[in-house]
């Protein structure tokens, strides 16, 4: 299996065993992973309640990080 961002994300969650199922079900990018809900976890094959909780918590953190970044912006201006 090739290494990708979803694999690395799952590895940090100590759940790399689901990487292939995530990719096979179209979750090959963290933007898509932010949409994961219980029906998606069923389709992916995540049955263990503690694994589901870990993924839900990680998805919540991904969404929160987006909200934080969305409020930040900058402009490039020439130096005087």
């Amino acid at each position: 299996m090739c290494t990708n961002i979803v694999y690395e994300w799952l590895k940090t969650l100590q759940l790399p065993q689901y990487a292939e199922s995530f990719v096979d079900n179209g979750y090959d990018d963290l933007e898509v992973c932010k949409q994961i809900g219980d029906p998606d976890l069923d389709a992916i094959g995540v049955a263990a309640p503690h694994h589901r909780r870990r993924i839900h918590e990680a998805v919540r953190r991904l969404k929160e990080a987006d909200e934080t970044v969305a409020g930040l912006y900058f402009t490039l201006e020439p130096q005087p």
Side-chain angles (χ1 to χ4, degrees):
M1 168 196 244
C2 70
T3 301
N4 71 20
I5 190 72
V6 174
Y7 171 76
E8 293 299 326
W9 179 64
L10 289 167
K11 199 163 87 170
T12 65
L13 300 175
Q14 298 176 358
L15 299 170
Q17 67 270 32
Y18 297 112
E20 190 171 343
S21 292
F22 266 67
V23 172
D24 288 349
N25 283 280
Y27 297 94
D28 56 355
D29 163 307
L30 291 182
E31 286 301 312
V32 178
C33 289
K34 290 177 192 173
Q35 308 306 314
I36 289 175
D38 283 319
D40 306 299
L41 293 179
D42 292 339
I44 292 167
V46 181
H50 59 287
H51 289 178
R52 293 171 78 94
R53 278 192 304 274
R54 203 178 304 166
I55 292 168
H56 280 306
E57 177 63 23
V59 167
R60 184 187 62 74
R61 286 193 308 267
L62 284 174
K63 289 178 181 178
E64 283 178 358
D66 254 9
E67 290 170 7
T68 303
V69 172
L72 300 176
Y73 68 93
F74 64 94
T75 60
L76 297 176
E77 297 179 10
Q79 292 290 325

